[in-house]
Amino acid sequence: MKKFWILFVALFFLAALTAKVDLNTASLAELKQLPITEQQARDIFDYRQYVKIFSSIFDLREIPSIDQVTLDKLRPLVVVSLYVETDEVALRRDEIRDLLERLDSNEGASEGMADVWEDYLMTPQNVNRMQLDDFMSLPNVSGVDAVAILKRTAQGDTIADTRDLRNTPGLSHYGYTNLRSYVYYKEPPVKNRLLWDANLQYYTRYFEEGQYDMLHESFLRNDYQATGVVVPHLKNLSYWGYFGLDELNPDVLLKLRLRYGNNYKLGIMNYSGKGEPGLLSSNAKDLIRDSKWYAGYENSELPLGNNSRLKFYLGNYRATFGEGLVMENTDYYSARKTGFGFSKRILGITPDLSRTQEFALKGAAMEVTNPYFGVTAFVSQDDKDAIAYVNADGETIKRDNFGNDVYTDTDGKQYYLNASNQPVYFYEDGSPVAADKDKLFSYVIPTLNYDNDTLREAESWFNNELAQTTNPYATNYINLATRKDILREKLWGTHLQVNPLLGTKLGFTTYTALYDDAHFIVPSYNELLPVVLRDSYYYTKLTKIMNAEISNLYSTQTESYNRDYRRVIGFDGQTVIGNTSIQGEYAELSLDGDDLKLGDDPKAYLVSAYTQFENLYFLTLLRNMDRNFDNPYSNSFSEHERLEDTILEKNIYALTNPTLADLYLNSNQSQPERGVYFETRYKFNNYFTVGRSYLDLWERLTDGRRTARFQSELEFRPLYQVALRLRYKNQVNRYDDDAERGVSKTNEYTMSVRTFLSNRDFLELEYRYNTVWNPPYTSLTNPANEGENTMAAAMTLMTGDYIGVNYTHNFSKSLKVQGAFLYWFGHGISHWDWEDMEIDFMGEKGSKAWIAVTSRISQNLYMNLKFRNKTFQDKELRIRNYNSSEDPVLVDDPVYFQRVEHSENTVRFSLDYRF
């Protein structure tokens, strides 16, 4: 046995000594382990990347820093493998898979943008003909990088290849590495070929915590007792119980895209979420109606000269301009969307097969650009979901053009109520009132996507139970409810742009949304609570909640105007001065001001400056959004989404309809804020890097709350394969007044150890510790009277921690496994975890494990299968009921159970066929 171990160790060291480094495949880290200097290793790596692939070891002598002595020293240690040219499409397929994993795994990768970037990867653009907006739409390419290339091509200096691109003066290494996969130089790598890909996704998605609580909220108060009626299923008094949402219905997405060269593009996508009929249960008419599709033509070589280009799309498209203040249509909100790094905006017109439904644009769009100017025009007509005012029968209340609610009596005659609450009939003959429209509260992105008949049946059930209460509510029926496709929106818009100087642009954007069949009516601040709250008890209790943000939503009828449209107008611009890019946008929502005059309507503006060095960047961003700037097609920078901390978030239990909370839970708009944001990253050397660090100082304009948020991280790499990372985050609400009830102070400390192993394997251990300090809450304690509680209030300090392990193992180029295991204890603090392609918020205490298998089954077929188990404890509102076969159902007080355990098993499966 001893001889065996001696032989084994000898063979091990012999194998280690005889292992040679392949000059054509070795990474920079592997080259640095050769007996040469770090600069020589980089020269070898750069030669292979930018000059040519090694055909023999003697090619090393063509590198100035490699002399004959160094070559002789390297000869026994290196080898040159055979380099084989393969199909360009196959090469790009592999590259796309790697890049899309990077894009999806970075916070800020927005819904649907990966589709567009994949399209750019498969059909790259000629770098010598690209324009400023083309560069600015690519991830991690700055305006400074773009101008460096534009200056060169404007002088007639054609970029011939990758090496030539890298030698562009002013182009950073970071910009170059992120740009090179999206461009070609002479002839397109994929020319006049039909490319298509089909994607199927199956996902057993659970409701998010806020949606879960909303759907569990009961319609009845604590002392509810049915008047002699036995309710067989008391749980039906919430949407969760009525619709049986314990059953886990999967989301299913089917997508098909075709491309012919760089010119012709087709695509169709069908997505069925919760409450929607699936592919197999839909008829052909509904399937086509509910699917998103596009047909497009692009030509970057128009016979107009000057690199003129054309885009034309029918069907669903996305329109984005400037900083997203006027137009960036999406259903999804992303905090701190700076427009840099991976939180880029893809400017102009692009096809849209994302899951965006409510704010999807469907119609036609055309864009014509050249280096000096650009014109974009777009039109859309689509049915939108909205919160509607309804009567006790579930019918939508009508509104005439004079500000009167229209009612219909039993004889079918229409009337309105005068100041004395007496009916006034419009026409004695009972003919319809001219221009009577649906009375709506706001757009909404619903959590439940049932059809209107199904929703009305549920509301009728709830209204019937509400009517049987012994102590009626002030509003004893559902008066505001979601209605699918109730609003026919006709929208047109345009964007005009001039580029007077290289790297400088000035733009004008406007859109108008017409509402021919509806009026948006939002009560004033003093009239709001009786409309949205069920119980009059809360009319005075909740007056101090931040409700002005709700009452400032857009109305088409007010005391000062009466119209049937919404219009937003804005200006944007950008210029590059040296190594600094400056950009910004100003927008106004037309109310009662003059469209040709600035400053007399609700406004929003954003200005940022991005300064770039080789190993350092610095971003400064200033923004302001007025309280009544309600633009549903805006998706700009902010810390929080609109309607946070209003009764739509904090007091769901008091609403006339709990699903009104969808206005906040699924909000896509930024909250009205004014503030300044700083961000930087600095790489000192190969060992130390200050990662993305930022400081944000802002004021919430609705209530004047001032907040400071800071985050920074430091990474230390003693070896290329090992990284130690420390991150600290601090946030203080109401930092200007410690005595204010809204004060809170949050600290988050994170430490992680990462190892980058061979074959691109990865292992990480992470630990996080959180503290949250809250001020005294006097209403929660006894008064400090003599003989009673002597401490009227006390500060509270909550702590929580989290530990997790993340790993990646590549069995081969065609099979990879990723996963994680983590445990957390929140003590009232919400923890979050960034999984492979999504962010997850956890409960108070629990554990989670997930594993994802990615396999290239064949040359064109890719499969991803992910399983996740999350077991956690949470505070959940449960109604304690005592059922009897003889007695009526009695519902006792709602009780918070401190330790309610949930177990969620999630499966996500996707197939991609690319040809």
Side-chain angles (χ1 to χ4, degrees):
M1 180 62 70
K2 183 177 181 180
K3 292 181 179 180
F4 171 79
W5 284 111
I6 293 174
L7 179 61
F8 177 80
V9 173
L11 289 174
F12 175 81
F13 281 105
L14 180 62
L17 291 172
T18 56
K20 295 186 177 183
V21 176
D22 188 344
L23 292 179
N24 280 334
T25 61
S27 65
L28 178 59
E30 291 172 326
L31 292 174
K32 288 181 179 180
Q33 295 181 9
L34 293 170
I36 55 178
T37 67
E38 183 174 327
Q39 184 59 47
Q40 287 174 324
R42 181 170 292 279
D43 290 344
I44 295 174
F45 183 81
D46 289 345
Y47 181 89
R48 187 186 74 202
Q49 292 289 104
Y50 310 133
V51 181
K52 68 175 185 178
I53 294 295
F54 290 100
S55 58
S56 79
I57 190 174
F58 298 103
D59 289 344
L60 288 172
R61 288 294 285 119
E62 298 180 14
I63 302 174
S65 63
I66 306 297
D67 55 19
Q68 187 61 43
V69 174
T70 305
L71 176 61
D72 293 339
K73 185 165 49 176
L74 291 177
R75 287 183 66 178
L77 303 175
V78 299
V79 67
V80 175
S81 62
L82 178 64
Y83 177 73
V84 180
E85 291 284 351
T86 58
D87 180 63
E88 178 69 29
V89 173
L91 288 175
R92 285 194 167 268
R93 293 291 190 197
D94 292 337
E95 192 171 16
I96 283 170
R97 183 181 64 177
D98 294 337
L99 284 173
L100 289 183
E101 286 179 2
R102 287 179 55 208
L103 297 178
D104 287 337
S105 64
N106 278 269
E107 186 175 1
S110 299
E111 173 73 18
M113 295 182 72
D115 281 348
V116 179
W117 280 330
E118 180 180 359
D119 190 54
Y120 288 169
L121 288 166
M122 281 305 301
T123 55
Q125 303 176 67
N126 188 332
V127 69
N128 295 292
R129 300 179 62 87
M130 290 174 68
Q131 300 171 16
L132 178 62
D133 284 350
D134 299 326
F135 290 111
M136 294 302 299
S137 298
L138 298 178
N140 292 303
V141 178
S142 71
V144 179
D145 295 323
V147 170
I149 298 174
L150 291 172
K151 284 182 177 179
R152 181 174 175 183
T153 56
Q155 296 171 357
D157 185 3
T158 302
I159 300 175
D161 52 32
T162 303
R163 177 175 178 269
D164 203 10
L165 175 65
R166 180 64 188 97
N167 291 329
T168 300
L171 176 62
S172 68
H173 177 75
Y174 197 56
Y176 158 75
T177 55
N178 286 279
L179 173 65
R180 61 186 177 185
S181 299
Y182 295 92
V183 300
Y184 68 90
Y185 307 95
K186 296 177 182 178
E187 292 296 325
V190 182
K191 185 177 182 180
N192 297 332
R193 290 185 59 175
L194 177 63
L195 307 173
W196 65 278
D197 55 82
N199 174 252
L200 170 66
Q201 294 182 24
Y202 174 96
Y203 193 4
T204 56
R205 188 191 307 270
Y206 283 82
F207 289 101
E208 296 179 3
E209 184 178 357
Q211 297 170 334
Y212 180 92
D213 292 341
M214 173 189 72
L215 297 171
H216 274 82
E217 190 61 56
S218 173
F219 275 86
L220 299 176
R221 59 157 58 116
N222 302 355
D223 58 353
Y224 166 69
Q225 182 176 352
T227 55
V229 178
V230 176
V231 184
H233 299 291
L234 191 64
K235 67 179 184 180
N236 289 359
L237 298 179
S238 69
Y239 279 102
W240 187 276
Y242 181 88
F243 286 115
L245 297 178
D246 285 316
E247 299 180 7
L248 193 61
N249 297 319
D251 295 1
V252 179
L253 181 146
L254 181 62
K255 184 186 301 182
L256 177 66
R257 293 183 298 160
L258 295 91
R259 296 178 290 270
Y260 183 75
N262 286 46
N263 300 116
Y264 301 95
K265 302 180 181 182
L266 294 171
I268 186 169
M269 185 273 287
N270 182 271
Y271 171 73
S272 56
K274 298 185 186 304
E276 295 179 307
L279 290 172
L280 299 180
S281 58
S282 298
N283 57 53
K285 181 179 179 181
D286 291 340
L287 189 64
I288 295 174
R289 182 198 63 192
D290 295 335
S291 296
K292 297 179 71 173
W293 62 274
Y294 67 81
Y297 172 77
E298 297 186 13
N299 191 336
S300 59
E301 299 181 357
L302 287 180
L304 302 177
N306 296 324
N307 286 346
S308 298
R309 303 171 56 185
L310 168 69
K311 287 184 181 181
F312 181 76
Y313 279 94
L314 295 174
N316 291 102
Y317 59 89
R318 188 167 179 172
T320 303
F321 307 102
E323 304 300 316
L325 290 177
V326 176
M327 174 59 66
E328 183 180 0
N329 62 304
T330 178
D331 285 357
Y332 300 93
Y333 171 81
S334 179
R336 294 177 294 281
K337 189 172 184 179
T338 63
F340 295 92
F342 284 102
S343 63
K344 275 297 189 75
R345 294 181 174 86
I346 301 180
L347 300 175
I349 300 297
T350 54
D352 180 21
L353 291 186
S354 70
R355 288 181 296 139
T356 290
Q357 297 289 339
E358 177 71 359
F359 299 110
L361 296 177
K362 188 174 184 179
M366 184 177 69
E367 179 179 290
V368 178
T369 60
N370 70 23
Y372 304 106
F373 69 89
V375 178
T376 303
F378 51 97
V379 294
S380 171
Q381 180 172 297
D382 197 17
D383 294 331
K384 306 297 185 182
D385 305 336
I387 298 291
Y389 291 84
V390 297
N391 57 28
D393 296 325
E395 300 299 325
T396 304
I397 294 176
K398 299 295 183 178
R399 185 85 165 184
D400 68 11
N401 286 333
F402 303 100
N404 301 303
D405 289 347
V406 180
Y407 303 92
T408 304
D409 64 14
T410 55
D411 296 326
K413 295 182 179 182
Q414 292 183 313
Y415 64 92
Y416 69 92
L417 299 177
N418 61 18
S420 302
N421 212 31
Q422 298 297 316
V424 177
Y425 285 86
F426 289 95
Y427 299 104
E428 290 298 326
D429 60 1
S431 58
V433 179
D436 60 320
K437 302 179 180 183
D438 292 325
K439 182 181 179 182
L440 306 181
F441 189 85
S442 177
Y443 288 96
V444 68
I445 303 172
T447 297
L448 300 177
N449 289 286
Y450 295 105
D451 60 68
N452 289 333
D453 289 339
T454 302
L455 291 173
R456 273 191 286 263
E457 290 175 3
E459 292 156 13
S460 176
W461 168 271
F462 298 136
N463 287 340
N464 181 62
E465 297 305 313
L466 287 167
Q468 298 183 58
T469 57
T470 55
N471 299 306
Y473 294 111
T475 304
N476 217 31
Y477 67 96
I478 296 174
N479 65 334
L480 291 165
T482 297
R483 289 294 178 262
K484 298 286 293 181
D485 297 333
I486 192 174
L487 174 65
R488 173 61 60 91
E489 179 195 74
K490 299 176 182 178
L491 184 147
W492 65 268
T494 187
H495 175 75
L496 306 175
Q497 181 173 306
V498 295
N499 311 314
L501 300 171
L502 198 65
T504 299
K505 65 176 183 179
L506 299 172
F508 167 78
T509 310
T510 184
Y511 82 84
T512 300
L514 301 174
Y515 311 122
D516 293 334
D517 55 358
H519 274 301
F520 285 104
I521 306 297
V522 180
S524 65
Y525 181 84
N526 294 326
E527 299 172 344
L528 176 67
L529 295 185
V531 174
V532 298
L533 298 182
R534 185 184 308 138
D535 195 337
S536 58
Y537 169 77
Y538 295 111
Y539 292 174
T540 56
K541 295 286 289 185
L542 300 181
T543 54
K544 294 183 179 181
I545 300 295
M546 196 181 64
N547 299 321
E549 205 163 300
I550 304 175
S551 60
N552 276 293
L553 294 175
Y554 183 76
S555 294
T556 55
Q557 284 186 336
T558 67
E559 295 180 355
S560 58
Y561 63 82
N562 189 336
R563 59 169 65 116
D564 59 357
Y565 65 87
R566 181 189 322 237
R567 177 175 296 137
V568 182
I569 301 172
F571 303 89
D572 66 274
Q574 179 180 7
T575 189
V576 176
I577 304 173
N579 62 340
T580 299
S581 174
I582 302 172
Q583 47 279 316
E585 185 175 16
Y586 177 89
E588 282 193 3
L589 171 67
S590 295
L591 289 185
D592 47 8
D594 186 348
D595 287 349
L596 300 179
K597 181 181 178 181
L598 296 179
D600 57 351
D601 276 322
K603 66 184 180 301
Y605 59 82
L606 185 151
V607 180
S608 65
Y610 182 89
T611 302
Q612 173 181 296
F613 300 93
E614 186 62 30
N615 295 312
L616 169 71
Y617 76 80
F618 193 81
L619 170 66
T620 303
L621 186 149
L622 177 69
R623 84 277 191 182
N624 179 91
M625 180 176 290
D626 289 349
R627 289 187 309 178
N628 47 355
F629 182 81
D630 178 18
N631 177 14
Y633 289 97
S634 172
N635 194 252
S636 63
F637 179 98
S638 73
E639 284 285 349
H640 297 289
E641 57 267 63
R642 196 176 187 91
L643 303 177
E644 186 195 45
D645 281 349
T646 65
I647 55 176
L648 300 179
E649 180 199 7
K650 300 295 187 182
N651 309 100
I652 300 176
Y653 60 87
L655 300 175
T656 59
N657 187 345
T659 57
L660 290 176
D662 276 332
L663 292 172
Y664 160 72
L665 294 173
N666 301 324
S667 175
N668 69 322
Q669 290 189 59
S670 301
Q671 191 169 54
E673 296 175 356
R674 178 193 298 124
V676 59
Y677 173 87
F678 305 96
E679 180 181 307
T680 188
R681 179 185 183 274
Y682 181 46
K683 183 177 182 180
F684 291 93
N685 49 44
N686 291 334
Y687 300 105
F688 289 97
T689 300
V690 175
R692 175 175 172 263
S693 303
Y694 62 84
L695 171 65
D696 196 8
L697 305 171
W698 80 94
E699 177 184 356
R700 188 167 64 185
L701 296 181
T702 306
D703 63 347
R705 187 185 78 176
R706 296 181 178 180
T707 302
R709 181 185 177 102
F710 171 77
Q711 176 177 304
S712 184
E713 64 180 42
L714 176 66
E715 182 178 270
F716 171 55
R717 279 195 164 183
L719 301 173
Y720 178 79
Q721 296 88 348
V722 178
L724 308 176
R725 179 173 294 185
L726 299 175
R727 183 173 66 237
Y728 171 69
K729 181 170 68 177
N730 171 265
Q731 178 168 320
V732 181
N733 294 325
R734 291 285 187 193
Y735 65 81
D736 56 327
D737 186 0
D738 280 345
E740 219 279 341
R741 182 169 174 171
V743 173
S744 68
K745 300 178 181 180
T746 302
N747 291 283
E748 181 179 293
Y749 311 86
T750 306
M751 179 178 67
S752 64
V753 180
R754 298 180 170 189
T755 58
F756 303 87
L757 307 173
S758 60
N759 198 30
R760 302 179 68 182
D761 288 359
F762 172 77
L763 181 65
E764 178 187 38
L765 174 65
E766 180 179 353
Y767 176 76
R768 183 189 307 153
Y769 179 76
N770 296 64
T771 65
V772 176
W773 177 89
N774 288 308
Y777 275 61
T778 56
S779 61
L780 301 182
T781 61
N782 296 322
N785 296 332
E786 184 177 355
E788 299 184 16
N789 181 21
T790 57
M791 185 178 68
M795 297 180 295
T796 60
L797 179 65
M798 297 184 294
T799 62
D801 56 358
Y802 155 113
I803 187 169
V805 176
N806 299 285
Y807 61 88
T808 298
H809 177 58
N810 293 277
F811 291 95
S812 67
K813 290 185 177 180
S814 301
L815 181 61
K816 178 177 69 173
V817 174
Q818 293 176 282
F821 174 80
L822 54 96
Y823 174 82
W824 73 93
F825 200 162
H827 296 281
I829 297 175
S830 176
H831 280 287
W832 59 271
D833 173 50
W834 187 258
E835 293 185 12
D836 55 336
M837 290 185 292
E838 57 194 329
I839 192 168
D840 181 38
F841 291 92
M842 286 91 79
E844 291 210 330
K845 178 183 179 180
S847 62
K848 181 176 74 170
W850 64 269
I851 183 171
V853 179
T854 302
S855 175
R856 182 175 182 177
I857 300 174
S858 66
Q859 182 177 356
N860 298 317
L861 183 62
Y862 300 82
M863 183 272 292
N864 181 272
L865 177 62
K866 176 181 176 181
F867 174 77
R868 181 182 71 182
N869 172 266
K870 184 166 69 170
T871 302
F872 61 99
Q873 298 171 354
D874 204 356
K875 287 184 178 180
E876 180 182 331
L877 182 62
R878 299 279 186 167
I879 297 181
R880 302 179 64 183
N881 56 305
Y882 304 90
N883 294 319
S884 170
S885 59
E886 299 178 358
D887 299 327
V889 176
L890 177 65
V891 184
D892 203 7
D893 290 345
V895 176
Y896 276 101
F897 287 84
Q898 295 289 337
R899 300 171 64 85
V900 178
E901 185 169 283
H902 304 264
S903 183
E904 298 178 353
N905 292 303
T906 302
V907 174
R908 188 184 70 204
F909 175 75
S910 67
L911 277 178
D912 288 272
Y913 187 82
R914 298 169 178 171
F915 179 77

